[in-house]
Amino acid sequence: MAQGYAIFVGLAVIAVLCAVSWFFAPKGENQVLWRSSLILAIVSCYLMWALTFLAQLNPLIQPRRSDLRESFLE
């Protein structure tokens, strides 16, 4: 079962990946472009994962069983 603390573990992993991409970006005239692109891609992937994870953790619409009679639903 998924736990809520997975978001913070993922955030720590993302922070490490961003720091690594900051320091190990190729040197040269395009270094800022490499850093920006890598960090933006990493953060975008994390946000997509986090939103999907949180949406499944607490759904807005609860599923209902359709094979029950109405007298049991009350």
Side-chain angles (χ1 to χ4, degrees):
M1 187 85 180
Q3 300 295 325
Y5 63 82
I7 295 293
F8 299 112
V9 172
L11 185 62
V13 170
I14 293 303
V16 168
L17 286 175
C18 286
V20 167
S21 67
W22 179 270
F23 290 112
F24 291 114
K27 306 291 186 243
E29 62 184 43
N30 292 330
Q31 185 178 16
V32 175
L33 181 65
W34 272 100
R35 284 180 178 172
S36 302
S37 299
L38 289 172
I39 292 174
L40 183 63
I42 291 169
V43 170
S44 297
C45 288
Y46 170 73
L47 284 176
M48 189 64 199
W49 172 79
L51 290 175
T52 304
F53 182 82
L54 289 174
Q56 293 176 4
L57 192 62
N58 189 14
L60 293 177
I61 302 172
Q62 295 179 353
R64 292 186 180 178
R65 289 181 58 179
S66 61
D67 60 341
L68 296 177
R69 291 184 293 201
E70 291 185 22
S71 61
F72 288 114
L73 295 176
E74 297 173 353

